[in-house]
Amino acid sequence: MEAIVAEMDTRRHPYHVAIENWQHDLNIGSIVRTANAFLAKEVHIVGNKRWNRRGAMVTDRYQHVTHVPTVQELIEWAKTASSTGVPLPIIAIDNVPGCKNIESVKLPKECVFLFGQEGPGLSQEALDSAEMVLEITQFGSTRSINASAAAAITMHTWVMQHVFG
């Protein structure tokens, strides 16, 4: 297992995924699994340390997952985490007033995608920390898509722009 993780570390993409965990959210495991599939550098669980690992389908053993107690600590970490010395921009994904469509934006190569919990979405503190807030265009009657589906679409969009673009 350590050899697999070490080999994956040589190929990881330079974006991070952060999930604001207010409650015990079942989507976190699915997001960790997707982050592994798209080879994200790291997943950060912000807030409550506990999460349901069942949805990760054991991929959390191969994906770097860390706990960050508060949004403020994530912001401070992002200031020094870049390989270029420039703070990592935090890109919030939530369908709130004033957000931009992800389809119309060039995503930064190095960044932190910040997702909220199913239902309440991101806290105001998390939204305020973001360099930009993006939504995924929807056409049906539902107000929002599942948080793990939004994370998958976001990571795939990054891959399409930076790996295949």
Side-chain angles (χ1 to χ4, degrees), residues 19-26 28-29 32 43-54 60 65-71 73 117:
I19 306 147
E20 191 176 26
N21 184 18
W22 297 354
Q23 301 169 0
H24 193 70
D25 193 341
L26 295 174
I28 293 173
V32 168
V43 175
H44 308 269
I45 310 298
V46 182
N48 186 354
K49 189 174 185 175
R50 292 181 44 149
W51 57 281
N52 188 332
R53 286 173 167 70
R54 204 163 103 199
D60 56 317
V65 179
T66 59
H67 175 248
V68 182
T70 65
V71 170
E73 288 175 77
Q117 178 175 301

Short mmCIF file of all heavy atoms in Angstrom, two decimals, residues 19-26 28-29 32 43-54 60 65-71 73 117:
data_model
loop_
_atom_site.label_atom_id
_atom_site.label_comp_id
_atom_site.label_asym_id
_atom_site.label_seq_id
_atom_site.Cartn_x
_atom_site.Cartn_y
_atom_site.Cartn_z
N ILE A 19 -13.71 19.98 2.33
CA ILE A 19 -15.13 19.75 2.59
C ILE A 19 -15.45 20.31 3.97
O ILE A 19 -14.86 19.88 4.96
CB ILE A 19 -15.46 18.24 2.56
CG1 ILE A 19 -14.98 17.62 1.25
CG2 ILE A 19 -16.95 18.02 2.78
CD1 ILE A 19 -14.53 16.20 1.39
N GLU A 20 -16.34 21.28 4.00
CA GLU A 20 -16.76 21.84 5.29
C GLU A 20 -17.76 20.87 5.90
O GLU A 20 -18.86 20.69 5.39
CB GLU A 20 -17.38 23.23 5.09
CG GLU A 20 -17.58 23.94 6.38
CD GLU A 20 -18.11 25.36 6.20
OE1 GLU A 20 -18.77 25.65 5.18
OE2 GLU A 20 -17.85 26.18 7.09
N ASN A 21 -17.38 20.25 6.99
CA ASN A 21 -18.16 19.18 7.63
C ASN A 21 -18.81 19.69 8.91
O ASN A 21 -18.21 19.64 9.97
CB ASN A 21 -17.22 17.99 7.93
CG ASN A 21 -17.95 16.80 8.50
OD1 ASN A 21 -19.17 16.68 8.39
ND2 ASN A 21 -17.21 15.92 9.13
N TRP A 22 -20.02 20.19 8.80
CA TRP A 22 -20.73 20.68 9.98
C TRP A 22 -21.30 19.54 10.79
O TRP A 22 -21.39 19.60 11.99
CB TRP A 22 -21.89 21.57 9.58
CG TRP A 22 -21.51 22.81 8.87
CD1 TRP A 22 -20.26 23.31 8.62
CD2 TRP A 22 -22.41 23.74 8.30
NE1 TRP A 22 -20.33 24.48 7.94
CE2 TRP A 22 -21.64 24.78 7.73
CE3 TRP A 22 -23.79 23.81 8.24
CZ2 TRP A 22 -22.23 25.86 7.09
CZ3 TRP A 22 -24.37 24.89 7.60
CH2 TRP A 22 -23.59 25.91 7.04
N GLN A 23 -21.77 18.52 10.10
CA GLN A 23 -22.39 17.37 10.73
C GLN A 23 -21.73 16.13 10.17
O GLN A 23 -20.77 16.22 9.42
CB GLN A 23 -23.90 17.36 10.43
CG GLN A 23 -24.62 18.59 10.91
CD GLN A 23 -26.04 18.66 10.36
OE1 GLN A 23 -26.48 17.79 9.62
NE2 GLN A 23 -26.75 19.71 10.70
N HIS A 24 -22.27 14.99 10.51
CA HIS A 24 -21.73 13.72 10.02
C HIS A 24 -22.29 13.49 8.61
O HIS A 24 -23.36 12.94 8.43
CB HIS A 24 -22.15 12.60 10.99
CG HIS A 24 -21.43 11.33 10.77
ND1 HIS A 24 -20.10 11.18 11.06
CD2 HIS A 24 -21.85 10.15 10.29
CE1 HIS A 24 -19.74 9.95 10.79
NE2 HIS A 24 -20.78 9.31 10.31
N ASP A 25 -21.58 13.95 7.60
CA ASP A 25 -22.07 13.96 6.23
C ASP A 25 -21.66 12.71 5.46
O ASP A 25 -20.48 12.41 5.35
CB ASP A 25 -21.54 15.21 5.52
CG ASP A 25 -22.25 15.49 4.21
OD1 ASP A 25 -22.88 14.58 3.65
OD2 ASP A 25 -22.16 16.63 3.75
N LEU A 26 -22.62 12.01 4.92
CA LEU A 26 -22.35 10.78 4.17
C LEU A 26 -21.64 11.03 2.85
O LEU A 26 -21.00 10.15 2.31
CB LEU A 26 -23.66 10.04 3.91
CG LEU A 26 -24.40 9.51 5.14
CD1 LEU A 26 -25.75 8.94 4.74
CD2 LEU A 26 -23.57 8.47 5.85
N ILE A 28 -19.04 12.78 2.22
CA ILE A 28 -17.59 12.95 2.32
C ILE A 28 -16.86 11.73 1.77
O ILE A 28 -15.88 11.87 1.03
CB ILE A 28 -17.16 13.28 3.76
CG1 ILE A 28 -17.70 14.67 4.13
CG2 ILE A 28 -15.64 13.24 3.91
CD1 ILE A 28 -17.50 15.06 5.57
N GLY A 29 -17.30 10.55 2.11
CA GLY A 29 -16.66 9.34 1.60
C GLY A 29 -16.67 9.28 0.09
O GLY A 29 -15.67 8.92 -0.54
N VAL A 32 -14.09 11.75 -1.23
CA VAL A 32 -12.74 11.21 -1.09
C VAL A 32 -12.47 10.19 -2.19
O VAL A 32 -11.41 10.20 -2.82
CB VAL A 32 -12.54 10.58 0.31
CG1 VAL A 32 -11.26 9.76 0.37
CG2 VAL A 32 -12.55 11.66 1.39
N VAL A 43 -7.16 15.83 0.35
CA VAL A 43 -8.52 16.16 0.78
C VAL A 43 -8.43 16.67 2.21
O VAL A 43 -7.76 16.07 3.05
CB VAL A 43 -9.46 14.94 0.70
CG1 VAL A 43 -10.83 15.29 1.27
CG2 VAL A 43 -9.58 14.43 -0.72
N HIS A 44 -9.11 17.79 2.47
CA HIS A 44 -9.11 18.40 3.80
C HIS A 44 -10.54 18.39 4.34
O HIS A 44 -11.44 18.95 3.70
CB HIS A 44 -8.60 19.84 3.73
CG HIS A 44 -7.29 19.95 3.02
ND1 HIS A 44 -6.08 19.87 3.67
CD2 HIS A 44 -6.98 20.09 1.69
CE1 HIS A 44 -5.10 19.98 2.80
NE2 HIS A 44 -5.62 20.11 1.59
N ILE A 45 -10.73 17.75 5.47
CA ILE A 45 -12.03 17.75 6.14
C ILE A 45 -12.00 18.91 7.13
O ILE A 45 -11.19 18.91 8.07
CB ILE A 45 -12.28 16.42 6.90
CG1 ILE A 45 -12.01 15.21 6.01
CG2 ILE A 45 -13.69 16.41 7.49
CD1 ILE A 45 -12.87 15.08 4.80
N VAL A 46 -12.84 19.90 6.92
CA VAL A 46 -12.85 21.12 7.73
C VAL A 46 -14.00 21.04 8.73
O VAL A 46 -15.15 20.86 8.35
CB VAL A 46 -13.02 22.37 6.83
CG1 VAL A 46 -12.98 23.64 7.68
CG2 VAL A 46 -11.95 22.41 5.75
N GLY A 47 -13.67 21.20 10.01
CA GLY A 47 -14.70 21.16 11.04
C GLY A 47 -14.71 19.81 11.74
O GLY A 47 -13.65 19.32 12.16
N ASN A 48 -15.87 19.22 11.82
CA ASN A 48 -16.03 17.93 12.49
C ASN A 48 -15.08 16.90 11.89
O ASN A 48 -15.06 16.70 10.68
CB ASN A 48 -17.49 17.48 12.34
CG ASN A 48 -17.80 16.22 13.12
OD1 ASN A 48 -16.92 15.60 13.71
ND2 ASN A 48 -19.06 15.85 13.13
N LYS A 49 -14.29 16.26 12.72
CA LYS A 49 -13.29 15.31 12.26
C LYS A 49 -13.91 13.99 11.79
O LYS A 49 -13.36 13.29 10.94
CB LYS A 49 -12.28 15.04 13.38
CG LYS A 49 -11.08 14.24 12.96
CD LYS A 49 -10.07 14.15 14.07
CE LYS A 49 -8.82 13.44 13.59
NZ LYS A 49 -7.78 13.43 14.61
N ARG A 50 -15.06 13.66 12.34
CA ARG A 50 -15.70 12.38 12.01
C ARG A 50 -16.41 12.45 10.67
O ARG A 50 -17.05 13.44 10.35
CB ARG A 50 -16.72 12.02 13.09
CG ARG A 50 -16.08 11.70 14.43
CD ARG A 50 -17.14 11.33 15.41
NE ARG A 50 -18.08 10.43 14.75
CZ ARG A 50 -18.76 9.47 15.34
NH1 ARG A 50 -18.63 9.29 16.61
NH2 ARG A 50 -19.59 8.72 14.66
N TRP A 51 -16.27 11.38 9.89
CA TRP A 51 -17.00 11.26 8.64
C TRP A 51 -17.17 9.79 8.32
O TRP A 51 -16.42 8.94 8.79
CB TRP A 51 -16.31 12.03 7.51
CG TRP A 51 -14.89 11.63 7.23
CD1 TRP A 51 -13.78 12.00 7.92
CD2 TRP A 51 -14.43 10.78 6.16
NE1 TRP A 51 -12.67 11.44 7.36
CE2 TRP A 51 -13.02 10.70 6.29
CE3 TRP A 51 -15.06 10.10 5.13
CZ2 TRP A 51 -12.25 9.95 5.40
CZ3 TRP A 51 -14.28 9.37 4.25
CH2 TRP A 51 -12.90 9.30 4.39
N ASN A 52 -18.17 9.48 7.52
CA ASN A 52 -18.49 8.10 7.18
C ASN A 52 -17.57 7.63 6.06
O ASN A 52 -17.71 8.03 4.91
CB ASN A 52 -19.96 8.03 6.74
CG ASN A 52 -20.43 6.62 6.55
OD1 ASN A 52 -19.65 5.73 6.24
ND2 ASN A 52 -21.72 6.41 6.73
N ARG A 53 -16.64 6.75 6.40
CA ARG A 53 -15.65 6.27 5.44
C ARG A 53 -16.19 5.22 4.47
O ARG A 53 -15.53 4.87 3.50
CB ARG A 53 -14.43 5.71 6.18
CG ARG A 53 -13.58 6.82 6.76
CD ARG A 53 -12.46 6.29 7.64
NE ARG A 53 -11.47 7.30 7.95
CZ ARG A 53 -11.66 8.34 8.74
NH1 ARG A 53 -12.84 8.54 9.29
NH2 ARG A 53 -10.70 9.21 8.97
N ARG A 54 -17.37 4.73 4.72
CA ARG A 54 -17.92 3.67 3.87
C ARG A 54 -18.00 4.08 2.40
O ARG A 54 -17.68 3.30 1.51
CB ARG A 54 -19.30 3.26 4.40
CG ARG A 54 -19.67 1.87 3.99
CD ARG A 54 -20.79 1.36 4.83
NE ARG A 54 -21.99 1.43 4.01
CZ ARG A 54 -23.20 1.42 4.48
NH1 ARG A 54 -23.41 1.37 5.77
NH2 ARG A 54 -24.22 1.48 3.68
N ASP A 60 -9.60 5.91 0.81
CA ASP A 60 -8.96 6.82 1.77
C ASP A 60 -7.59 6.31 2.22
O ASP A 60 -6.79 7.06 2.73
CB ASP A 60 -9.87 7.10 2.97
CG ASP A 60 -10.33 5.85 3.69
OD1 ASP A 60 -10.70 4.87 3.02
OD2 ASP A 60 -10.32 5.86 4.93
N VAL A 65 -5.72 12.41 3.27
CA VAL A 65 -6.88 13.05 3.89
C VAL A 65 -6.42 13.63 5.22
O VAL A 65 -5.86 12.91 6.05
CB VAL A 65 -8.03 12.04 4.12
CG1 VAL A 65 -9.22 12.73 4.79
CG2 VAL A 65 -8.45 11.37 2.82
N THR A 66 -6.63 14.94 5.40
CA THR A 66 -6.24 15.59 6.64
C THR A 66 -7.44 16.29 7.25
O THR A 66 -8.42 16.60 6.57
CB THR A 66 -5.12 16.63 6.41
OG1 THR A 66 -5.59 17.61 5.49
CG2 THR A 66 -3.86 15.98 5.87
N HIS A 67 -7.34 16.55 8.54
CA HIS A 67 -8.38 17.27 9.25
C HIS A 67 -7.90 18.68 9.53
O HIS A 67 -6.75 18.90 9.94
CB HIS A 67 -8.71 16.56 10.58
CG HIS A 67 -9.68 17.32 11.41
ND1 HIS A 67 -9.33 17.90 12.60
CD2 HIS A 67 -10.98 17.62 11.20
CE1 HIS A 67 -10.38 18.52 13.10
NE2 HIS A 67 -11.39 18.38 12.27
N VAL A 68 -8.77 19.65 9.28
CA VAL A 68 -8.50 21.05 9.58
C VAL A 68 -9.65 21.51 10.47
O VAL A 68 -10.81 21.48 10.05
CB VAL A 68 -8.45 21.91 8.29
CG1 VAL A 68 -8.12 23.35 8.62
CG2 VAL A 68 -7.45 21.34 7.31
N PRO A 69 -9.37 21.91 11.71
CA PRO A 69 -10.46 22.21 12.65
C PRO A 69 -11.41 23.34 12.25
O PRO A 69 -12.60 23.28 12.54
CB PRO A 69 -9.73 22.56 13.96
CG PRO A 69 -8.42 21.86 13.84
CD PRO A 69 -8.07 21.90 12.37
N THR A 70 -10.90 24.39 11.54
CA THR A 70 -11.75 25.54 11.23
C THR A 70 -11.48 26.05 9.82
O THR A 70 -10.42 25.79 9.24
CB THR A 70 -11.49 26.70 12.21
OG1 THR A 70 -10.16 27.19 12.02
CG2 THR A 70 -11.69 26.28 13.67
N VAL A 71 -12.42 26.81 9.30
CA VAL A 71 -12.24 27.45 8.01
C VAL A 71 -11.04 28.40 8.07
O VAL A 71 -10.23 28.47 7.15
CB VAL A 71 -13.51 28.21 7.56
CG1 VAL A 71 -13.25 29.08 6.35
CG2 VAL A 71 -14.64 27.23 7.29
N GLU A 73 -8.35 28.15 9.80
CA GLU A 73 -7.10 27.39 9.71
C GLU A 73 -6.85 26.90 8.28
O GLU A 73 -5.70 26.83 7.84
CB GLU A 73 -7.12 26.23 10.70
CG GLU A 73 -6.97 26.71 12.13
CD GLU A 73 -7.11 25.60 13.15
OE1 GLU A 73 -6.14 24.84 13.32
OE2 GLU A 73 -8.19 25.52 13.79
N GLN A 117 -21.75 21.13 2.92
CA GLN A 117 -22.52 19.96 3.30
C GLN A 117 -23.84 19.94 2.54
O GLN A 117 -24.37 20.98 2.17
CB GLN A 117 -22.78 20.06 4.80
CG GLN A 117 -23.62 18.93 5.32
CD GLN A 117 -23.71 19.04 6.80
OE1 GLN A 117 -22.71 19.02 7.48
NE2 GLN A 117 -24.90 19.16 7.31
#
